[in-house]
């Protein structure tokens, strides 16, 4: 999968009618050979002394898990059984040294909060740039909601949805509390990419928010709509891509609406996106710190 990033993509006839077509890993030429790629080592974050090479990751990629305007996420299964999620960027917006510095700094902050998914390792090669993170077998909130709706049943009850929302809110509150807010051309107190597909769910239905700071590593690019057509949760266009705390809160609101009533509910706010974000930017300075809340005493079966 990832190894195909080293060859020029070819158009697939299925996508000839798509005006915003862009090459994905699945459409890359099959003739690529890993042997022609320098076996560069990955850089591990923090005090992790593990060793892993680019070639090992390329050979271990087994399938695409998701796709967004930032890039593509793939499942990587190493020979010893360790599983990672590889987040490959389409267009990196900074140079090698700045990319490395930013990933390591975002990882350092993420490791201090158990509700954030910290980067484990990364690489900046000539023709491929990606970050490795922990793999969550339960998948994301978007996966769970989508799976239930496609099969006509409720994947999550209200207690579970409440817990996921609570832990996500704690992750956002932790990020927004970072001080100083700016650090060497980096905005540390904004997540920048809050959405259902970035909320990873544990087996006990606690949740962790991934992709903290990643929007400050790469440019956004229109992704093929073929993936989103298969996923009946709010598409990327429902979320705001601006780097601000108000937009983080707006996107969290989109997630809550999706949890409460499904994709149809999100349409009621997307038409007034800018007005809502303006109101949030006025309210945020007066917000109070979050505190722990117990489980709700009664659980009413959700509708979707």
């Amino acid at each position: 999968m990832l190894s195909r990033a080293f060859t020029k993509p070819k158009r697939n006839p299925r996508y000839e009618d798509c005006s915003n077509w862009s090459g994905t890993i699945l459409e890359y030429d099959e003739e690529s050979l890993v042997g022609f790629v320098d076996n560069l080592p990955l850089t591990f974050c923090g005090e992790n002394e593990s060793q892993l090479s680019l070639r090992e990751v390329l050979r271990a990629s087994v399938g695409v898990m998701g796709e967004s305007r930032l890039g593509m996420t793939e499942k990587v299964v190493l020979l010893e059984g360790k599983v990672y999620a590889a987040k490959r960027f389409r267009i990196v917006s900074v140079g090698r040294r700045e990319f490395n510095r930013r990933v390591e700094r975002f990882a350092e902050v993420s490791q201090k909060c158990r509700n954030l998914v910290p980067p484990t390792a990364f690489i900046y090669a000539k023709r491929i740039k990606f970050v490795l993170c922990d793999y969550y077998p339960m998948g994301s909130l978007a996966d769970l909601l989508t799976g239930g709706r496609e099969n006509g049943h409720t994947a999550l009850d209200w207690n579970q949805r409440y817990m996921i929302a609570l832990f996500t809110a704690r992750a956002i509150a932790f990020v927004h509390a970072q001080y100083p807010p700016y650090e060497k051309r980096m905005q540390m107190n904004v997540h920048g990419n809050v959405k259902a597909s970035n909320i990873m769910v544990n087996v006990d239905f606690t949740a962790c928010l991934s992709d903290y700071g990643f929007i400050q590593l790469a440019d956004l690019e229109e992704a093929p709509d073929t993936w989103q057509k298969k996923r009946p949760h709010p598409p990327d266009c429902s979320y705001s891509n601006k780097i601000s705390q108000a937009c983080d809160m707006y996107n969290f609101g989109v997630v809550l609406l999706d949890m409460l009533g499904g994709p149809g509910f999100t349409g009621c706010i997307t038409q007034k996106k800018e007005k809502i974000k303006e109101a949030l930017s006025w309210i945020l300075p007066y917000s109070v710190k979050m505190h722990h809340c117990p489980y709700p005493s009664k659980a009413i079966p959700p509708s979707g």
Side-chain angles (χ1 to χ4, degrees):
M1 292 292 177
L2 279 168
S3 62
R4 298 176 186 174
F6 292 91
T7 60
K8 185 177 180 180
K10 294 183 177 180
R11 284 185 180 270
N12 188 310
R14 292 181 299 170
Y15 305 123
E16 288 298 329
D17 295 331
C18 295
S19 58
N20 62 343
W21 184 92
S22 63
T24 67
I25 294 179
L26 291 177
E27 283 88 50
Y28 278 85
D29 186 26
E30 295 286 351
E31 298 176 357
S32 60
L33 294 175
V34 177
F36 291 109
V37 181
D38 292 336
N39 196 22
L40 302 173
L42 270 68
T43 301
F44 278 81
C45 302
E47 300 179 356
N48 192 327
E49 298 181 356
S50 301
Q51 295 183 351
L52 190 61
S53 69
L54 173 58
R55 190 175 301 172
E56 290 177 288
V57 176
L58 297 180
R59 289 172 173 169
S61 177
V62 297
V64 177
M65 298 165 53
E67 187 177 2
S68 70
R69 296 180 64 189
L70 279 178
M72 188 171 292
T73 303
E74 297 189 15
K75 182 179 180 180
V76 174
V77 182
L78 301 176
L79 292 177
E80 62 270 21
K82 179 65 177 177
V83 184
Y84 290 104
K87 296 180 177 289
R88 172 179 170 260
F89 302 107
R90 285 192 176 88
I91 304 177
V92 172
S93 58
V94 294
R96 181 195 304 272
R97 182 175 299 179
E98 184 68 11
F99 179 88
N100 294 355
R101 183 183 71 84
R102 292 189 182 192
V103 173
E104 289 181 337
R105 184 67 182 109
F106 288 131
E108 181 183 354
V109 174
S110 299
Q111 289 167 357
K112 298 177 182 178
C113 178
R114 65 178 184 176
N115 301 127
L116 290 173
V117 180
T120 301
F122 61 90
I123 193 167
Y124 187 109
K126 183 177 180 180
R127 298 182 65 181
I128 189 169
K129 293 89 177 168
F130 63 83
V131 172
L132 288 187
C133 300
D134 287 340
Y135 172 75
Y136 288 75
M138 288 278 288
S140 68
L141 171 62
D143 294 329
L144 292 174
L145 293 175
T146 299
R149 290 163 186 162
E150 287 179 341
N151 295 312
H153 63 77
T154 300
L156 301 167
D157 62 33
W158 283 124
N159 278 333
Q160 294 163 346
R161 296 182 192 217
Y162 168 81
M163 290 301 297
I164 292 171
L166 175 63
F167 283 105
T168 303
R170 288 179 176 175
I172 296 173
F174 176 85
V175 171
H176 286 188
Q178 293 304 303
Y179 187 86
Y182 295 94
E183 182 179 306
K184 296 182 180 178
R185 301 184 299 278
M186 298 163 57
Q187 190 165 353
M188 304 302 299
N189 67 341
V190 172
H191 183 278
N193 202 14
V194 177
K195 57 183 180 179
S197 57
N198 285 336
I199 299 174
M200 312 311 296
V201 181
N202 292 301
V203 293
D204 60 354
F205 293 98
T206 57
C208 298
L209 186 59
S210 70
D211 286 33
Y212 164 52
F214 285 6
I215 200 169
Q216 300 182 55
L217 302 174
D219 292 331
L220 297 174
E221 185 182 63
E222 288 299 326
D225 58 2
T226 51
W227 180 273
Q228 292 183 353
K229 285 179 180 178
K230 300 177 183 178
R231 320 294 286 181
H233 56 76
D236 280 0
C237 62
S238 299
Y239 297 100
S240 173
N241 296 312
K242 294 182 180 179
I243 304 177
S244 70
Q245 292 186 345
C247 290
D248 280 353
M249 298 307 298
Y250 170 87
N251 290 344
F252 183 54
V254 174
V255 171
L256 293 179
L257 285 175
D258 189 23
M259 295 174 70
L260 290 171
F265 269 43
T266 62
C268 66
I269 65 170
T270 52
Q271 300 298 325
K272 300 180 179 180
K273 181 185 296 186
E274 295 304 322
K275 291 184 178 180
I276 295 173
K277 288 186 292 185
E278 182 180 353
L280 285 170
S281 64
W282 182 82
I283 294 172
L284 277 173
Y286 303 99
S287 61
V288 297
K289 294 183 178 180
M290 296 189 60
H291 58 84
H292 176 73
C293 298
Y295 280 93
S297 57
K298 295 183 180 179
I300 304 173
S303 59

